[in-house]
Structure formats: C-alpha cells, structure tokens
Amino acid sequence: MPSASVTVTAKAGPAHTLTSGVFTGATEVNFNLGNNTFTIISNGAIKTFDWESIATVTFTVSGHNGTVSIT
C-alpha cells in the first residue's frame, strides 16, 4: 500500500500550535465535515485536528497518487 507525507499547521491542544508538522507514512486522511475534524493515520498513530484550527494542509503522495493542498 502506498504511503504519504502530510504536513499540517493547526492547533494541537490548549495553548499549543503545530507549525508545519510532518506526518510520514500516512495511510489514511479523513475529513469529517459533520464533526469539523481532520484525522491523519500515520504509522498506526491517529491524530485529529479541529477543522476550524487548521491553517494549512499539504498532502503529498508517493507512487501514482496525486497531491492535495488545503489552505
């Protein structure tokens, strides 16, 4: 299965901002518009961000897949 690198700038908790955090080995990204969340599954770990806190997302896939950029 191809994996990807996902770069995120968003709030990562109370009084903490993740700036250009890179998640390598991502196998899944989910946008849950009903809950206003964005979730990354990377190397078996799950990280969820509040949709309203996201400043940027860059999604670069290795292999034959495309690129998604959300700003």
Side-chain angles (χ1 to χ4, degrees):
M1 166 185 276
S3 65
S5 293
V6 180
T7 304
V8 177
T9 298
K11 278 190 170 184
H16 182 70
T17 299
L18 177 66
T19 304
S20 297
V22 177
F23 297 86
T24 59
T27 55
E28 191 171 336
V29 292
N30 296 298
F31 294 92
N32 186 324
L33 301 179
N35 290 329
N36 293 325
T37 58
F38 171 71
T39 302
I40 301 168
I41 299 176
S42 176
N43 296 315
I46 299 170
K47 181 66 178 170
T48 300
F49 298 94
D50 181 349
W51 181 259
E52 294 180 7
S53 76
I54 296 173
T56 61
V57 173
T58 304
F59 176 59
T60 305
V61 181
S62 62
H64 300 289
N65 299 307
T67 299
V68 174
S69 177
I70 299 167
T71 56

